[in-house]
Amino acid sequence: MKKTVTRLADGRELIYFDARDSGGRDAVDRRPLEPVVSASGIRYDPLLDEFVAIASHRQGRIYHPPADSCPLCPSTGEWQSEIPAAEYEVAVFENRFPSLSGEHGRCEVVCFTSDHTASFADLTEERAALVLAAWTDRTAELSARPGVAQVYCFENRGAEIGVTLAHPHGQIYAFPFTAPRTATMLRNAVAHRAHTRRNLFDDLVARERKDERVVLAGEHWTAFVPYAARWPYEVHLYPHRRVADLTALDDAARAEFPRLYLELLRRFDRLFGTDAPPTPYIAAWHQAPATEDRDEFALHLELFTVRRASGKLKYLAGTESGMGAFMNDVSPESAADRLREVASS
């Protein structure tokens, strides 16, 4: 892998990742951009023991631009985007409209391909491996920064999720605090260790790998619909060897990941029939915090959709949004059955 670091016109960092040394990445951003002024801040909620990011400047961010004005496509003679190069493989840059910035963290955009009409599921295994390498690189670098408590790599796909740019991309957040779900998992893992002298994630994955809800399994990874799934179609993907974050994956797990993950995404797109619009989803990497209780945590990816049936969405209404109590309309067992039915032939 070749990594090239450069700067955009307003000083933000831009990083190109290439599978091999394919020449220069020296295109210059010629836009007359002023330095980004971020109004993001962090506030603490003592009732929930949680932090909330306030980022009012994001109200002015780009919203569903036409394809010929996409800020994530390569630049052309007529259009100067966030990526000055005329083509690229994988590119990462600081978000121009970050939810977190400065002493309050950092937000980056990850462009998976220069093809505006593609999706992650359309990538080759080699390209998916390059994205994994980019996620790993950013996790290592951001985790080492002062004030960063946790690194979160994720992809939102589809307008139903709230995506404002159609180009295939994901994001990376460097949180100045441990995210609430991670903190809850860690508390439970520490308590489980004290009670049983075993690791909670190890016990959970061992149980799930024996269950009927396994969707896909390889030599180094297993994907399953969890017993207490919150979303209509939800899959968790775990490496068999427990590691804290992406940086600790071994070569064998890295080599197998692209094939399994691409198959999962392609199954999601077949869930509701070939005539249905692309399935909206969130793909979320759960990684250990940068410092606390890393030995008890287990890296895993959670993939889920808000679509519960063709033309129907799962809305977070009174119980979910008001009380945080999920009610799932699809049984995890039937979801697993369906995800096996739509396997590639």
Side-chain angles (χ1 to χ4, degrees):
M1 179 190 77
K2 181 185 178 184
K3 175 183 176 182
T4 306
V5 182
T6 184
R7 293 280 175 179
L8 296 172
D10 54 10
R12 288 176 295 132
E13 195 170 39
L14 166 66
I15 309 166
Y16 295 103
F17 292 89
D18 293 284
R20 52 192 60 85
D21 191 345
S22 56
R25 291 292 185 194
D26 54 359
V28 176
D29 182 6
R30 303 187 184 283
R31 296 172 297 170
L33 296 180
E34 295 294 329
V36 172
V37 177
S38 171
S40 66
I42 302 296
R43 299 184 183 183
Y44 176 69
D45 181 344
L47 290 178
L48 296 179
D49 187 26
E50 295 178 1
F51 291 92
V52 176
I54 308 296
S56 58
H57 64 285
R58 284 175 53 80
Q59 288 280 47
R61 68 188 185 274
I62 298 170
Y63 186 80
H64 292 301
D68 61 0
S69 300
C70 174
L72 307 185
C73 284
S75 292
T76 66
E78 295 76 31
W79 169 245
Q80 295 295 303
S81 74
E82 290 280 67
I83 303 172
E87 55 78 29
Y88 64 86
E89 293 185 37
V90 175
V92 178
F93 61 88
E94 288 182 74
N95 198 323
R96 192 177 178 189
F97 300 93
S99 299
L100 306 166
S101 61
E103 63 181 11
H104 301 302
R106 174 160 157 146
C107 293
E108 299 182 342
V109 177
V110 185
C111 297
F112 306 137
T113 171
S114 60
D115 185 351
H116 182 83
T117 62
S119 69
F120 201 117
D122 296 324
L123 302 183
T124 64
E125 290 187 20
E126 180 183 56
R127 180 60 59 82
L130 185 61
V131 175
L132 176 62
W135 284 331
T136 304
D137 174 275
R138 305 314 301 145
T139 295
E141 182 169 321
L142 294 172
S143 295
R145 294 189 174 209
V148 171
Q150 184 180 11
V151 176
Y152 174 44
C153 306
F154 64 102
E155 180 192 1
N156 297 331
R157 202 278 283 269
E160 298 93 331
I161 299 295
V163 175
T164 58
L165 298 175
H167 194 105
H169 71 287
Q171 299 180 66
I172 302 174
Y173 277 24
F175 287 116
F177 52 82
T178 299
R181 287 197 66 199
T182 305
T184 298
M185 291 181 195
L186 275 176
R187 283 196 300 271
N188 292 334
V190 170
H192 186 81
R193 172 70 71 181
H195 181 66
T196 67
R197 298 186 181 180
R198 299 191 306 271
N199 179 267
L200 175 60
F201 290 97
D202 289 348
D203 286 355
L204 181 149
V205 173
R207 183 172 65 249
E208 294 283 12
R209 288 179 65 188
K210 298 175 182 177
D211 202 274
E212 61 181 314
R213 287 170 282 95
V214 170
V215 172
L216 190 63
E219 184 178 352
H220 303 284
W221 299 81
T222 293
F224 56 85
V225 177
Y227 176 74
R230 290 168 167 76
W231 298 96
Y233 293 92
E234 175 180 345
V235 175
H236 294 191
L237 179 63
Y238 277 81
H240 295 167
R241 184 178 70 88
R242 175 166 51 89
V243 295
D245 59 27
L246 289 164
T247 68
L249 286 174
D250 59 26
D251 291 343
R254 291 183 185 281
E256 186 179 74
F257 171 79
R259 177 179 62 83
L260 294 181
Y261 186 50
L262 289 171
E263 172 63 13
L264 279 178
L265 293 180
R266 290 161 187 167
R267 291 189 189 191
F268 263 59
D269 272 344
R270 292 191 290 266
L271 275 173
F272 306 104
T274 56
D275 296 331
T279 302
Y281 65 74
I282 293 174
W285 279 108
H286 290 259
Q287 305 196 83
T291 56
E292 58 178 307
D293 296 316
R294 289 176 56 82
D295 291 342
E296 289 297 332
F297 201 81
L299 168 76
H300 62 284
L301 184 141
E302 297 185 8
L303 173 67
F304 58 90
T305 179
V306 298
R307 186 176 291 165
R308 58 187 175 88
S310 182
K312 299 178 180 179
L313 299 181
K314 164 67 175 178
Y315 292 101
L316 298 189
T319 57
E320 291 89 358
S321 293
M323 294 300 290
F326 274 71
M327 311 291 173
N328 194 347
D329 304 311
V330 179
S331 78
E333 291 72 26
S334 62
D337 285 342
R338 179 59 181 155
L339 283 162
R340 287 191 293 266
E341 287 173 2
V342 295
S344 300
S345 56

